[in-house]
Amino acid sequence: MRSYNEWRPHSSLGGLPPTVYREMLTADVPYYYELLKKKQEKLKEQKKDLMQKLLTGEVRVKI
């Protein structure tokens, strides 16, 4: 397992404090997996919403 200084996913998981991240290093893998799964679901929902706005013309993009 990587040390705290080598790998810091807390910045990509919504700014988790370092203390929570340290607990995650020692926690069970399923707990960390669930956090990543929730983050993935949120990103998919954001993508879906953005695509809908682009297709309806609600949001315009300069090319």
Side-chain angles (χ1 to χ4, degrees):
M1 187 173 276
R2 296 178 182 173
S3 73
Y4 175 73
N5 290 325
E6 292 174 346
W7 189 52
R8 299 180 188 180
H10 59 274
S11 61
S12 65
L13 291 174
L16 290 175
T19 54
V20 174
Y21 173 67
R22 284 187 202 108
E23 290 175 13
M24 287 173 45
L25 279 177
T26 59
D28 294 333
V29 173
Y31 172 74
Y32 182 63
Y33 177 78
E34 287 299 318
L35 286 178
L36 291 176
K37 204 67 166 157
K38 288 178 185 178
K39 177 75 171 180
Q40 181 184 31
E41 289 171 11
K42 285 181 184 180
L43 290 172
K44 282 184 179 182
E45 187 66 29
Q46 286 178 350
K47 179 183 175 185
K48 182 178 154 186
D49 292 342
L50 179 59
M51 292 300 291
Q52 186 64 35
K53 288 179 180 181
L54 288 170
L55 289 171
T56 60
E58 189 176 330
V59 174
R60 297 182 64 97
V61 179
K62 284 188 178 182
I63 297 178

